[in-house]
């Protein structure tokens, strides 16, 4: 967006971009959805090689920022997961625990806030609606299509504002 003297930022989603959530999708596929179990299982997510390689490559030129729909109550597990997998340090933006807005709204809000003071080089995300809205807003997007898509997760992101 606009150029600044600081390094540009590369913004990365977590779930199904850097972290493989396939093993915990079962908690979303039954009713009622078990959100506590879904998020409690996140520390056991295996990393996604394609996303990890891209975040490491991006860190050579950019400051890395993590932008996730995970609720704030998951911060400690999230930061520990990033460190355990040797991912570059960076600010982690998380959803307020009581925020149920669609991910495409919450994430675009953070992107626009970042762009007011920084050059946002790229957003890497698996959520097609987030990517569509970010592109319409003028951001460069890489669509993370290297994880197995989850209908339950997509519904949660858009309709329930849970991740």
């Amino acid at each position: 967006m606009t150029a600044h003297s600081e390094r540009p930022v590369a913004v990365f989603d977590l779930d199904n971009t850097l972290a493989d959530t396939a093993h915990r999708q079962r908690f979303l596929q039954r009713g009622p959805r078990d959100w506590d179990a879904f998020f409690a299982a996140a520390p056991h997510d295996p990393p996604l090689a394609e996303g990890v390689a891209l975040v490491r490559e991006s860190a050579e030129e950019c400051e890395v920022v993590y932008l996730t729909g995970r609720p704030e109550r998951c911060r400690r597990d999230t930061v520990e997961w990033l460190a355990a997998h040797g991912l570059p340090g960076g600010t982690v933006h998380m959803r307020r625990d009581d925020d149920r807005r669609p991910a495409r709204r919450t994430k675009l809000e953070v992107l626009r806030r970042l762009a007011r003071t920084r050059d946002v080089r790229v957003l890497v995300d698996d959520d097609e609606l987030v990517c569509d809205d970010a592109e319409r807003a003028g951001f460069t997007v890489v669509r993370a299509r290297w994880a197995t898509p989850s209908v339950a997760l997509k519904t949660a992101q858009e309709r329930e504002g849970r991740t």
Side-chain angles (χ1 to χ4, degrees), residues 68-72 94-97 99-101 103 106 161 163:
T68 180
R70 293 179 185 184
E72 186 63 42
M94 302 184 85
R95 177 190 298 273
R96 287 186 332 266
D97 287 335
D99 189 345
R100 298 288 187 263
R101 294 175 296 153
T106 60
T163 183

Side-chain angles (χ1 to χ4, degrees), residues 2-3 12 15 35 43 46 52 67 70-71 83 93 124 130 141 160-161:
T2 54
F12 283 81
D15 293 336
W35 289 105
V52 169
L67 176 57
R70 293 179 185 184
H93 293 272
V124 183
V130 168
V141 171
E160 297 178 30

Side-chain angles (χ1 to χ4, degrees), residues 110-129:
V110 173
L111 285 171
R112 286 183 169 139
R113 188 169 61 238
L114 286 169
R116 285 197 291 263
T117 60
R118 302 295 296 277
D119 174 17
V120 177
R121 174 84 45 96
V122 67
L123 166 69
V124 183
D125 202 301
D126 71 304
D127 186 324
E128 293 293 333
L129 296 173

